[in-house]
Amino acid sequence: QRGLWFFSSYPQVELKAVTVNVTIQDFVADVVSELFFCNRLPVSNETVFVFPVDSNTVVHTFYATMGDTRIEAMLWEKEEAQQLCKATSGMENFRYLQDQWDLWGPVFACFLGSLPPDTEVTITLCYVQELPLQPDGAAQFCWPCELFPQMLPWRRCDSTDQISSEERPKNLDFSVCLKSAHGVSHIDINCSYTPLQYTAPDQTSAKVSLKSSPWLYSDLNLLVYYRGSHSLSAVVERRDPKAPPGSLLGDPVVMVTLRPYIPEVVPNPGQLGEFLFLMDRSLFRDAQVPPEEVFRGDVFIPVISAHPSICSQNTLLFLLKSLPLGCYFNIYSFGATFKAFYPQSVVYTQESMDNAVGHISSICPDLGGCDLLGLLRSIYSTPLLCGHPRQLFIFIQRKISSEEEAVMAEVYRYRDQHRCFCFPTCDSFNLSQAMALETKGECVCIHSSMNMTSEAMKCLQRALQPLASRISLHWDLPPGLGVSVIRKAPEMIFQGHQSSIYAQIHGQAQDPEMGEGAVTLQYHVGSQSFDYTLRFSLSPSSNGRLPVHRMAMMHLLWKLFWEGTSKAEDIWHSTLKSSLSLGVLSPFTSHVAVRMNQRNAGHCDSLPQDSSTLFSPSCNLVPCQLLFLRGFRPVWFNSTKFWMLQKYQFCLETLVGKAPDTEALTQLSASCRGKEKLFSCAFSKLVALQKANGSWALTAALASALGLSKADVEGQRPSEDVQPTVWATVLALVWLHQYKWKVSWTELLEAKACRWLQEQAEVQLDECLEAANSLLGCFVEPTIFRI
């Protein structure tokens, strides 16, 4: 995650000092920051403040002061704000920024105007955000290196340095307050910091300060570790005493973070999943591959190739072959329109797999439009399959900037119901990365040096890991109190992830002495059921800035927007009022910034009922919006094949002591390509022949793929008692395993074969393995069968 950035047209706008106060309570951070900049240029400098935001961050306070001038960002009702923006000069700068800036994604941006020479500007920014969970259970908070005062390049400081108080930078004041009912265990920061100081006897609160900035171009990375189980945690925040009871602000709000324990190995997985493969038809251009290399009989057998069409066909074939029996799947191709192999997802069987493999060659190239938005809406409109978590594998090549915001809105709306694994080219990397991050999936950019199939198979392995499903929360509160859930529990939680639930606690306790509530988490992993109960205090402390209420308000606003309940006038007005008072951006509001004299700034700390009173001769509107930038393009390394060629050349030069013979090098390269093509063809044929249950049939095609004759294969069968299918499966498994160093992603194919062998009665695996090693001229150990 990135923090906030300050940009100008010249780097001489120097960051002189920073004051940051962060309060972290379990998995929510409340940040108050002041940044002091100065224009070191001898001329005026046009400046703009840009803060990248994500769906788990709420910017609620921003203002900048320059001498007697203060620019403050406020929220207004959306239609009114749009009318005001039309009257704001300089909005064309934002439109230019939207397409030309190096960043990509949603940002909060405020135009600060012309900064005179040697003029200082102080920026105050306050925001709250949900913190991501690390695999080891830590809550992670990040702050960008760009927002630390420059340190001396020869003075490196890390967490082991001993720095005296005289050496500590005077321009850095960065303090962190930590709170958790579980207790704070320890922290890890990638720079020097003061010892962790506990501020409560039970170690439920602590504080720490930075002694220095991180080294050079490293972002601050703060990891907080809590005591005890992390499966369930709760943060209760007091009501705002100024708000009427019954409103979101007028009631306490609880944030419950779920991180279910999920065993690494599940004896009976139960939930197998719904796997949807979305293929960009622009990847299926004419590959000019001889037909005899694409079709062998009735079986589709592509060859390994760097061409995008062949790579796409290979990838789709191997993904289909690696799915588990009993799951659901479907394949969609999209271009100007989209098509599905099946009207709806089907159960993975031998018949459905064969039909799908046969349809791969029917995907027609399409270099026209890209209706990814329509395809996603069609998928999201189909009901989820009970017990089968939905996971999307999206292969996309083209840029669809005109619909990026609409695509992300759809993904955000259903982010708790599915996960996206995206495989883009550079042109579509940014949108794909955002989709993957939003759904807690993964994004791998595919370029000429990478094997699309290998990367996709790695993600499929991750998609098949155990997960928590059938998640439910049960509340136990004192009589008189009730709970209104704002953001409900998701359909599923994947291994290593968490989810935050928000609920409003309303009513009046009949017995004021009963100051505790409880929540119970129930879920399933495969056929196993789990439940955890957590008791929490109903009389929490509050810092007055209401970070949990702000996060809850953000989710409530989007919930009302998606459900369409905002059309009810009473709900709309009360929600809008709360949104404006908390400074939480919503589908119903938009930012407007006002430039005013400092003496009038005190009147604008909160939005008055009649906002027109702000418009006096001393007030000017300033461009300030949530923008969606789309100008960043990642830079990638040269082709791996090119690097390998250079490596071979370097080795020859080292051995011979002179430049290599170009003709010899060319012959070596051609020889390698020929052998690689033979192996690739054999490997593709072998994979194509594997059955949906993981077995192979003893056929002439299998013998050919193994480089043997059918007579040799049948003649070396250990005994008549060994079933031909068992013998064929052991042979194929051993062949795959001996080339694991060459094709590292056969794990799923091997696992299917092993499961099938284990299900067979009275299988003589030792005899079969010995005979297979002898026939194939290799030595594979019995551990291959995973028994």
Side-chain angles (χ1 to χ4, degrees):
Q1 288 188 350
R2 300 294 293 177
L4 49 94
W5 295 336
F6 182 89
F7 294 97
S8 69
S9 54
Y10 295 95
Q12 285 84 352
V13 176
E14 177 188 350
L15 178 59
K16 295 180 58 180
V18 167
T19 299
V20 182
N21 293 297
V22 183
T23 300
I24 297 176
Q25 190 163 5
D26 285 351
F27 294 97
V28 63
D30 180 16
V31 183
V32 177
S33 60
E34 276 193 319
L35 311 171
F36 303 89
F37 294 90
C38 183
N39 180 18
R40 296 300 186 189
L41 284 173
V43 295
S44 296
N45 189 11
E46 296 293 315
T47 56
V48 59
F49 182 87
V50 178
F51 172 50
V53 296
D54 57 26
S55 59
N56 294 322
T57 302
V58 174
V59 177
H60 59 84
T61 302
F62 172 84
Y63 56 88
T65 56
M66 294 170 285
D68 293 334
T69 302
R70 168 164 159 158
I71 295 175
E72 182 172 354
M74 301 176 184
L75 281 184
W76 294 62
E77 190 276 323
K78 196 160 194 173
E79 292 185 3
E80 188 175 353
Q82 290 173 345
Q83 293 298 321
L84 294 174
C85 287
K86 292 180 180 179
T88 304
S89 60
M91 288 301 294
E92 63 277 3
N93 294 332
F94 272 7
R95 284 186 283 272
Y96 176 81
L97 171 70
Q98 194 167 14
D99 292 318
Q100 301 297 324
W101 204 262
D102 288 338
L103 291 177
W104 184 94
V107 297
F108 167 82
C110 186
F111 184 70
L112 302 182
S114 181
L115 191 61
D118 294 322
T119 300
E120 296 183 353
V121 55
T122 301
I123 291 179
T124 299
L125 181 80
C126 304
Y127 65 94
V128 297
Q129 66 179 176
E130 293 179 10
L131 298 182
L133 181 72
Q134 296 303 292
D136 59 359
Q140 181 187 35
F141 174 78
C142 293
W143 182 267
C145 60
E146 293 89 345
L147 291 182
F148 281 108
Q150 292 183 359
M151 59 182 293
L152 297 177
W154 61 85
R155 179 71 171 104
R156 177 173 181 171
C157 303
D158 56 36
S159 57
T160 61
D161 286 343
Q162 298 296 322
I163 304 176
S164 66
S165 58
E166 290 77 13
E167 291 181 286
R168 294 176 188 172
K170 307 299 183 189
N171 57 359
L172 175 64
D173 183 2
F174 203 116
S175 61
V176 183
C177 177
L178 308 171
K179 299 178 181 180
S180 176
H182 290 283
V184 179
S185 173
H186 61 283
I187 61 172
D188 187 11
I189 311 178
N190 62 335
C191 65
S192 62
Y193 55 92
T194 61
L196 187 65
Q197 180 182 352
Y198 289 103
T199 55
D202 57 359
Q203 298 186 346
T204 56
S205 64
K207 63 181 181 180
V208 67
S209 299
L210 301 190
K211 287 184 177 180
S212 68
S213 307
W215 175 240
L216 290 180
Y217 303 110
S218 297
D219 296 341
L220 172 71
N221 191 26
L222 168 64
L223 300 177
V224 187
Y225 296 85
Y226 302 113
R227 301 187 188 280
S229 171
H230 301 277
S231 294
L232 201 58
S233 65
V235 177
V236 182
E237 188 172 80
R238 284 182 178 175
R239 61 180 292 269
D240 183 355
K242 302 176 184 178
S247 65
L248 180 64
L249 285 176
D251 284 338
V253 168
V254 57
M255 171 186 173
V256 179
T257 302
L258 316 178
R259 190 206 175 192
Y261 164 72
I262 301 175
E264 291 289 338
V265 179
V266 182
N268 181 10
Q271 289 78 25
L272 295 173
E274 179 191 19
F275 301 91
L276 305 180
F277 304 106
L278 284 61
M279 309 298 296
D280 186 343
R281 288 204 293 267
S282 66
L283 289 167
F284 289 79
R285 294 192 289 268
D286 181 13
Q288 298 181 350
V289 178
E292 63 272 12
E293 294 193 15
V294 180
F295 293 98
R296 300 289 169 87
D298 295 329
V299 181
F300 171 72
I301 303 180
V303 296
I304 305 292
S305 168
H307 194 281
S309 177
I310 298 301
C311 288
S312 302
Q313 293 172 354
N314 284 337
T315 301
L316 196 47
L317 172 69
F318 299 144
L319 285 171
L320 284 172
K321 289 289 181 175
S322 301
L323 292 177
L325 277 175
C327 74
Y328 283 76
F329 79 101
N330 204 348
I331 300 172
Y332 299 87
S333 63
F334 62 93
T337 60
F338 60 87
K339 297 179 180 178
F341 276 25
Y342 300 101
Q344 58 188 13
S345 296
V346 296
V347 179
Y348 182 77
T349 63
Q350 184 65 44
E351 181 182 4
S352 62
M353 185 199 72
D354 287 341
N355 288 336
V357 170
H359 276 82
I360 292 178
S361 59
S362 68
I363 299 179
C364 299
D366 183 347
L367 303 180
C370 184
D371 191 18
L372 177 60
L373 177 60
L375 173 54
L376 289 175
R377 284 174 173 167
S378 176
I379 291 174
Y380 294 153
S381 66
T382 60
L384 295 172
L385 298 170
C386 182
H388 293 274
R390 176 173 289 172
Q391 304 193 67
L392 276 58
F393 286 69
I394 305 174
F395 298 84
I396 181 170
Q397 176 163 278
R398 49 192 132 191
K399 189 180 177 83
I400 52 173
S401 56
S402 61
E403 292 185 331
E404 283 178 345
E405 292 178 70
V407 168
M408 282 310 304
E410 288 296 308
V411 172
Y412 176 82
R413 181 177 184 179
Y414 296 97
R415 63 176 180 168
D416 289 332
Q417 299 182 9
H418 74 299
R419 182 161 63 166
C420 294
F421 293 93
C422 300
F423 309 92
T425 59
C426 292
D427 285 342
S428 54
F429 174 78
N430 299 304
L431 175 63
S432 299
Q433 185 182 50
M435 294 168 67
L437 288 173
E438 198 63 58
T439 59
K440 299 178 180 177
E442 189 170 336
C443 177
V444 182
C445 188
I446 303 299
H447 52 100
S448 58
S449 70
M450 292 185 66
N451 188 322
M452 181 190 296
T453 305
S454 175
E455 296 303 320
M457 295 294 286
K458 290 176 186 176
C459 288
L460 181 58
Q461 276 190 292
R462 182 179 165 195
L464 289 170
Q465 290 176 347
L467 54 86
S469 63
R470 288 184 279 171
I471 300 167
S472 62
L473 285 181
H474 303 276
W475 303 86
D476 181 13
L477 298 179
L481 294 181
V483 167
S484 297
V485 176
I486 296 171
R487 186 186 184 194
K488 64 179 183 178
E491 301 287 339
M492 54 197 172
I493 297 180
F494 298 96
Q495 204 166 45
H497 292 294
Q498 96 255 23
S499 182
S500 295
I501 311 304
Y502 294 88
Q504 180 180 350
I505 302 176
H506 53 77
Q508 187 71 36
Q510 296 177 8
D511 184 359
E513 298 297 322
M514 297 181 65
E516 275 194 340
V519 60
T520 299
L521 166 66
Q522 294 181 338
Y523 63 95
H524 288 75
V525 179
S527 59
Q528 297 176 271
S529 61
F530 298 85
D531 64 87
Y532 295 92
T533 298
L534 175 71
R535 302 201 67 82
F536 54 87
S537 172
L538 293 172
S539 302
S541 59
S542 177
N543 62 9
R545 292 198 296 268
L546 303 171
V548 177
H549 277 79
R550 294 184 196 276
M551 294 302 302
M553 175 58 71
M554 179 190 73
H555 290 292
L556 175 61
L557 292 167
W558 281 101
K559 177 184 176 183
L560 295 175
F561 177 73
W562 295 128
E563 293 178 351
T565 50
S566 58
K567 295 178 181 178
E569 287 296 319
D570 54 340
I571 297 177
W572 186 85
H573 283 295
S574 62
T575 304
L576 178 62
K577 184 177 180 180
S578 298
S579 172
L580 296 176
S581 61
L582 280 176
V584 178
L585 186 66
S586 73
F588 317 112
T589 54
S590 185
H591 282 108
V592 172
V594 179
R595 181 186 289 110
M596 65 196 79
N597 293 329
Q598 276 285 73
R599 61 178 178 271
N600 298 327
H603 300 296
C604 297
D605 289 337
S606 60
L607 192 69
Q609 293 294 325
D610 183 9
S611 54
S612 63
T613 59
L614 285 175
F615 293 97
S616 63
S618 61
C619 292
N620 297 297
L621 295 177
V622 175
C624 179
Q625 279 189 3
L626 184 73
L627 296 177
F628 198 87
L629 306 185
R630 41 182 184 257
F632 174 75
R633 178 188 293 267
V635 178
W636 300 98
F637 292 108
N638 288 331
S639 166
T640 300
K641 292 182 179 179
F642 173 80
W643 176 85
M644 291 177 66
L645 184 63
Q646 298 305 308
K647 181 178 179 181
Y648 295 149
Q649 183 171 347
F650 171 77
C651 292
L652 288 170
E653 289 175 354
T654 303
L655 292 172
V656 180
K658 60 181 182 179
D661 183 5
T662 304
E663 183 178 352
L665 184 62
T666 303
Q667 291 176 354
L668 173 63
S669 177
S671 175
C672 290
R673 285 198 301 270
K675 292 179 179 178
E676 182 67 23
K677 184 176 180 181
L678 288 174
F679 167 78
S680 299
C681 185
F683 178 77
S684 292
K685 288 166 63 177
L686 187 66
V687 173
L689 293 170
Q690 189 177 24
K691 302 295 183 182
N693 60 8
S695 67
W696 276 266
L698 189 60
T699 62
L702 174 65
S704 174
L706 299 177
L708 302 169
S709 68
K710 187 178 181 183
D712 288 338
V713 171
E714 291 179 339
Q716 291 295 320
R717 184 154 53 114
S719 68
E720 292 295 329
D721 295 334
V722 175
Q723 294 295 323
T725 306
V726 171
W727 170 233
T729 302
V730 172
L731 271 176
L733 181 61
V734 170
W735 192 94
L736 282 176
H737 195 77
Q738 71 169 326
Y739 288 109
K740 201 174 185 67
W741 62 272
K742 204 167 189 177
V743 183
S744 60
W745 44 264
T746 59
E747 180 71 21
L748 294 176
L749 300 174
E750 292 185 27
K752 287 180 71 172
C754 289
R755 282 194 299 270
W756 183 85
L757 287 171
Q758 292 167 12
E759 293 169 356
Q760 307 310 303
E762 300 180 2
V763 178
Q764 300 168 334
L765 291 180
D766 290 340
E767 291 183 29
C768 291
L769 179 60
E770 183 179 353
N773 278 329
S774 175
L775 183 60
L776 296 173
C778 59
F779 180 73
V780 174
E781 297 183 351
T783 53
I784 186 178
F785 299 120
R786 311 176 189 192
I787 299 176

